[in-house]
Amino acid sequence: MEIGANTCIDRGALEDTVIEDGVKLDNLIQIGHNVRIGKHTAMAGNAGVAGSAKLARIARWVVAQ
């Protein structure tokens, strides 16, 4: 797992927040509570995931500026 600068991962409220093996998070990402991110997912900078969302394995998130 790689986590970039100024990335915030919220602690789980009802369930655990889970980031699986091989995940790469760029800078300035917000991960909400109870989120589950599947293996080998990559997220580009300045993105966010709302609480309780579930991302599949090998997902690619790119945010256009």
Side-chain angles (χ1 to χ4, degrees), residues 8 10 22 25 35 37 60:
C8 182
D10 292 347
L25 303 176
V35 169
I37 299 178
R60 299 289 182 253

Side-chain angles (χ1 to χ4, degrees), residues 16-49:
D16 290 335
T17 298
V18 177
I19 300 176
E20 296 184 7
D21 295 333
V23 172
K24 294 184 179 185
L25 303 176
D26 201 2
N27 301 330
L28 297 169
I29 295 177
Q30 169 69 39
I31 305 296
H33 56 82
N34 309 334
V35 169
R36 177 176 289 274
I37 299 178
K39 291 181 179 180
H40 307 292
T41 295
M43 292 183 69
N46 203 24
V49 180

